[in-house]
Amino acid sequence: MRAHPRLRAQRGAEMSEHVSDLGDGKNDDPLYRLRHSLAHVMAQAVLDMRPGSTRGFGPPIDTGFYYDFVLSEPITAEDFPEIEKRMKRIIKGRQKFEREDLPIADALARLEEMREPYKVEYARELAEKNGLDTLSFYTNGPFVDMCEGPHVDVTSRLPKGAFKVRSVAGAYWRGDERNQMMTRLYTWAYTSKEELEEAVRRHDEALRRDHKKLGPALDIYHIDDEVGKGLPLWLPNGTAIRDELEKVAKEKEFRGGYQRVVTPHVTKANLYHLSGHLPYYEDVMYPPMVVEEQEGDEKVVKEKYYLKPMNCPHHHRIFAARKRSYRDLPIRLAEYGTVYRFEHHGALSGLLRVRGMSMNDAHIYCTEEQIHDEFLAVMQMHKEYFELLGITDYYMRLSLWDPEDPKGKQKYVDNPQAWERTEKLVREAMLEADLPFVEVKGEAAFYGPKVDIQITTVTGREETFSTNQLDFAVPQADRMNLTYVGADGAEHHPYIIHRAPLGTHERFVAYLIEHFGGAFPTWLAPVQVRIIPVSEKYLAYGDKLATALRNDLVRVELDSSDEKLGKKIREGTVRKIPILLVVGEQEQEAESVTVRRYGEKEQASMPFTQFSGELGEEIRSRVMRRKPGI
RNA sequence: GCCCACGUAGCUCAGUAGGUAGAGCACCUCCUUGGUAAGGAGGAGGUCACCGGUUCAAAUCCGGUCGUGGGCUCCA
């Protein structure tokens, strides 16, 4: 389950010491200085070209920097060469960067005079919130900016050929859609031309792995205008991948003591009032289906049904449907449930952000004493999935509430003791699971702390792909009022762990496509084996093998096209099919096959029975023969 | 939703200054029966996203709609 956009605030507020490789220390980094200084140079160039424009933020980022402006006249990609030309001229101009510290009042006066309302706003905030009594300014040539620094000492130290204006985009002032829309210019920036070229090359390379390209190309999914935005159609190849993932999940959950349930796609409105979701989630839900009845002259609303945006309330009703004893706990209810969310039109993107998605969902109802073991088991399940799929490029985020958040009362259930207790329990489980994580305040769910697993897509965007939440609030009397009878004969409210290690099929498959570059391990590949007869004469033999493999539940295709062998090999390789079997006269006579594996140079001939035995074992044990890659 | 760009055959793209459309791949047919990354010939396929406007004439110019892509805190 993703955080509500409104609540997705205050990134990186506080990092814990559990961080291994996420250290910042960026202010001392020469590259940081370079990018930061170059940002000033670009701002100078842009303000020259568009007099009367005002500035927002202009920070260094992983690939260079960006700068936000409210422009007097729009800038498009056609203006990039001009910007670059002017930047180079400024660099050549040997402008010195000079720092100056002004008392707050003087700083504000200067910013007012510069007609920089956004800088004024931020300066006020720095003074008030952070209690600064001076603010620093940097001047280079005719350009002045309020800035913490540090910078290079003179513009001529900046490399002229190692940056490139990349793109222009819209961005709200401080990321809030209620604020002014600014124009953001992204720029690549490195220390040398070679590094820049290498970065651009890597970027282009990554784009080739983009699931939005590979997904349709490999017939995994299709998005059709007539069906609707964000509502992908899963083609046979994509469905095979989903089915395999579900198979793994069902096995793991079965062994982990989960029980499977199935719940409907639509539900009466009141359930979401009970759960507390409707008031809070309504703008992400599809509009309701309204049942009306004619009463006299008037139409009266009898019922409202919503497409379900999450599975939890349904599972809670299953829990509540019977009297529960402490002896029954923990109860673990699992479902690959399909949910629908009316995400912002502009936020939709391939399989990554959709409006209908199937979650690897489950809810664990347990006592406080059981939380530790249950949470630990969930995290260990994550570990197993990551090992199975060779996933290493992720980090875990322990998302906590923020007691200092001014809007805390609306954002979080008001129960400080419960927050402190549950956060401690989750932290302990994480430490015991021995998984590195960072702690971030202000990212919790409204009902409790959670652990989010963050991944970075090939295009460099960070996404949450799975989350595990501890919920102490929803079972309480004022919400779903879930209870069990304790050993003492009295009723108690259980705790709930919401967990979805594989996230949603949509996002997970998008990630896997990019992770594997479309070349899936055999067990997961939509087509596992393609049989290629050397010529038409051996079609019958190929067909015989295909039938035998299909009988063993192998996803196999027979290439019966009237093409030359080389062409058929190429076709199979382009489709990234893990195993191509070449069969001709020799193979037919020996009842053998020649095995050609994707990405492997060596090919081997062996008796067909040996091949099918080894293949069966490879699929059953879900081994990964190659490192993820293209 | 908002900012910018884009929308020509299933896919990738060309179409110069408004004069009713073209390539490669894929698809179909025929020839070829070929041992490891594209054999040859022919054919079919488009209301140039949709709606409206300007014009003798619109893929091309203008407006709107729909869709796609890049963005929308990595915080002086």
Side-chain angles (χ1 to χ4, degrees):
Chain A
M1 187 192 295
R2 290 202 298 276
H4 188 283
R6 242 192 342 245
L7 297 188
R8 202 181 294 139
Q10 288 187 301
R11 272 280 168 81
E14 219 169 278
M15 297 279 184
S16 81
E17 64 277 20
H18 308 297
V19 191
S20 44
D21 53 347
L22 288 160
D24 55 357
K26 51 191 178 185
N27 286 21
D28 296 329
D29 183 1
L31 188 56
Y32 179 92
R33 282 171 189 251
L34 181 152
R35 286 171 169 165
H36 203 155
S37 304
L38 217 39
H40 283 222
V41 170
M42 184 175 78
Q44 185 180 337
V46 169
L47 292 176
D48 263 3
M49 287 170 68
R50 297 287 187 273
S53 302
T54 56
R55 290 171 255 178
F57 293 138
I61 56 174
D62 282 350
T63 54
F65 61 90
Y66 67 77
Y67 214 113
D68 289 341
F69 304 92
V70 176
L71 295 170
S72 51
E73 288 279 326
I75 273 181
T76 69
E78 284 163 27
D79 300 310
F80 292 176
E82 176 66 20
I83 297 174
E84 287 164 9
K85 210 169 90 192
R86 284 169 186 259
M87 286 173 72
K88 284 174 189 160
R89 207 178 298 148
I90 293 167
I91 290 172
K92 255 196 245 168
R94 297 178 170 277
Q95 299 178 358
K96 284 204 172 98
F97 276 94
E98 284 173 65
R99 181 181 170 120
E100 192 182 357
D101 287 77
L102 292 184
I104 297 294
D106 297 356
L108 287 173
R110 177 184 283 190
L111 291 170
E112 292 277 5
E113 192 190 325
M114 286 164 65
R115 296 178 189 280
E116 292 290 354
Y118 299 100
K119 297 274 176 184
V120 170
E121 181 187 319
Y122 191 62
R124 285 224 172 86
E125 194 181 307
L126 283 175
E128 281 163 27
K129 276 204 186 157
N130 299 16
L132 299 184
D133 38 310
T134 61
L135 290 170
S136 56
F137 284 75
Y138 274 85
T139 304
N140 58 303
F143 183 82
V144 186
D145 204 358
M146 177 177 80
C147 178
E148 189 181 26
H151 286 284
V152 297
D153 35 303
V154 58
T155 55
S156 50
R157 293 184 63 138
L158 298 169
K160 281 203 296 285
F163 67 88
K164 186 172 165 44
V165 182
R166 172 160 56 133
S167 62
V168 53
Y172 296 103
W173 168 238
R174 317 206 74 177
D176 189 326
E177 63 185 12
R178 287 165 301 196
N179 289 343
Q180 166 84 40
M181 172 61 70
M182 303 180 128
T183 303
R184 174 170 298 177
L185 286 166
Y186 282 95
T187 302
W188 307 96
Y190 292 88
T191 47
S192 69
K193 192 173 178 198
E194 292 69 39
E195 276 176 55
L196 171 71
E197 281 167 358
E198 173 61 17
V200 173
R201 199 194 56 74
R202 268 203 317 271
H203 177 76
D204 292 344
E205 172 88 18
L207 288 185
R208 265 181 279 137
R209 300 166 72 123
D210 190 338
H211 82 277
K212 292 192 289 293
K213 279 245 173 285
L214 279 178
L218 297 176
D219 290 327
I220 289 171
Y221 73 96
H222 168 70
I223 291 179
D224 194 293
D225 288 358
E226 300 299 334
V227 176
K229 299 189 59 159
L231 298 168
L233 299 171
W234 287 83
L235 306 179
N237 283 349
T239 307
I241 297 172
R242 286 174 60 122
D243 286 350
E244 284 301 330
L245 291 173
E246 283 194 26
K247 216 187 281 174
V248 179
K250 284 173 185 172
E251 288 169 12
K252 275 205 194 303
E253 285 158 9
F254 183 82
R255 294 196 177 111
Y258 291 73
Q259 297 169 291
R260 292 181 46 75
V261 296
V262 174
T263 64
H265 289 218
V266 293
T267 300
K268 294 199 296 192
N270 195 47
L271 181 63
Y272 299 120
H273 282 297
L274 280 177
S275 67
H277 281 109
L278 195 52
Y280 157 73
Y281 234 91
E282 191 169 10
D283 52 341
V284 195
M285 288 165 72
Y286 271 87
M289 287 161 267
V290 178
V291 181
E292 293 177 320
E293 261 179 34
Q294 198 75 33
E295 283 189 8
D297 297 340
E298 280 181 55
K299 276 202 167 166
V300 179
V301 174
K302 283 288 179 192
E303 304 270 18
K304 271 194 193 172
Y305 288 88
Y306 283 92
L307 278 169
K308 71 172 166 184
M310 68 277 301
N311 303 301
C312 354
H314 297 76
H315 291 181
H316 301 346
R317 294 309 299 165
I318 290 174
F319 181 90
R322 299 283 182 272
K323 191 89 170 167
R324 306 292 181 179
S325 151
Y326 74 98
R327 294 170 188 276
D328 300 331
L329 302 184
I331 290 174
R332 309 181 189 89
L333 301 179
E335 173 176 19
Y336 247 109
T338 305
V339 299
Y340 297 89
R341 297 179 190 174
F342 202 70
E343 296 284 352
H344 273 173
H345 162 277
L348 301 176
S349 175
L351 287 181
L352 258 186
R353 199 154 281 239
V354 290
R355 284 178 171 169
M357 63 210 103
S358 299
M359 287 178 69
N360 172 225
D361 216 355
H363 296 89
I364 301 169
Y365 302 83
C366 65
T367 66
E368 185 163 335
E369 295 70 46
Q370 291 168 334
I371 290 175
H372 178 84
D373 287 355
E374 290 301 314
F375 211 90
L376 185 58
V378 166
M379 296 320 295
Q380 273 159 351
M381 192 182 275
H382 268 89
K383 245 184 170 171
E384 289 172 26
Y385 282 128
F386 291 153
E387 275 162 23
L388 174 68
L389 293 157
I391 297 174
T392 52
D393 49 348
Y394 64 92
Y395 77 93
M396 299 203 176
R397 183 179 73 190
L398 175 53
S399 300
L400 308 171
W401 74 316
D402 182 3
E404 264 126 60
D405 191 308
K407 287 187 224 134
K409 290 253 155 85
Q410 295 128 51
K411 230 170 113 168
Y412 307 112
V413 173
D414 188 20
N415 187 343
Q417 295 87 351
W419 280 104
E420 276 160 31
R421 237 180 24 249
T422 53
E423 288 182 359
K424 184 161 168 281
L425 281 165
V426 173
R427 188 179 294 116
E428 282 167 5
M430 288 300 290
L431 288 172
E432 189 172 335
D434 196 25
L435 289 162
F437 63 98
V438 300
E439 296 195 11
V440 180
K441 281 189 181 175
E443 285 279 346
F446 76 91
Y447 46 65
K450 59 180 176 143
V451 173
D452 297 315
I453 287 77
Q454 302 295 110
I455 49 150
T456 306
T457 68
V458 284
T459 46
R461 208 166 9 179
E462 180 179 319
E463 296 279 358
T464 298
F465 85 177
S466 87
T467 119
N468 309 286
Q469 313 171 334
L470 180 57
D471 177 355
F472 59 81
V474 172
Q476 297 300 314
D478 58 338
R479 295 191 190 264
M480 297 293 282
N481 193 23
L482 305 180
T483 59
Y484 65 91
V485 179
D488 56 0
E491 300 219 317
H492 302 271
H493 298 294
Y495 286 80
I496 304 171
I497 295 169
H498 304 242
R499 47 113 278 181
L502 296 180
T504 67
H505 274 320
E506 285 69 18
R507 187 166 287 186
F508 200 69
V509 170
Y511 173 78
L512 289 180
I513 292 170
E514 298 180 357
H515 176 61
F516 290 119
F520 296 96
T522 309
W523 68 272
L524 195 53
V527 176
Q528 297 167 314
V529 176
R530 182 178 281 182
I531 299 171
I532 301 181
V534 168
S535 85
E536 208 177 352
K537 287 188 219 147
Y538 313 104
L539 252 178
Y541 178 58
D543 191 50
K544 192 177 115 191
L545 303 185
T547 305
L549 289 172
R550 197 169 293 121
N551 204 38
D552 288 343
L553 305 181
V554 174
R555 293 185 290 274
V556 58
E557 281 179 359
L558 176 64
D559 187 341
S560 56
S561 67
D562 179 22
E563 297 290 350
K564 298 192 85 158
L565 181 60
K567 177 71 177 286
K568 291 195 267 197
I569 298 277
R570 182 183 149 79
E571 292 292 310
T573 307
V574 166
R575 298 294 287 189
K576 303 178 195 250
I577 294 168
I579 298 169
L580 302 180
L581 292 183
V582 178
V583 294
E585 190 169 358
Q586 300 149 33
E587 287 80 4
Q588 180 169 312
E589 271 172 23
E591 289 275 314
S592 69
V593 289
T594 295
V595 183
R596 194 183 205 280
R597 284 179 174 273
Y598 185 87
E600 292 182 21
K601 281 255 150 57
E602 300 290 309
Q603 45 178 27
S605 292
M606 62 180 80
F608 175 68
T609 47
Q610 183 193 339
F611 167 75
S612 75
E614 287 177 12
L615 176 67
E617 184 48 33
E618 179 181 348
I619 292 172
R620 241 188 324 279
S621 56
R622 299 188 174 111
V623 295
M624 195 155 38
R625 290 175 58 109
R626 308 170 48 243
K627 283 211 155 135
I630 296 185

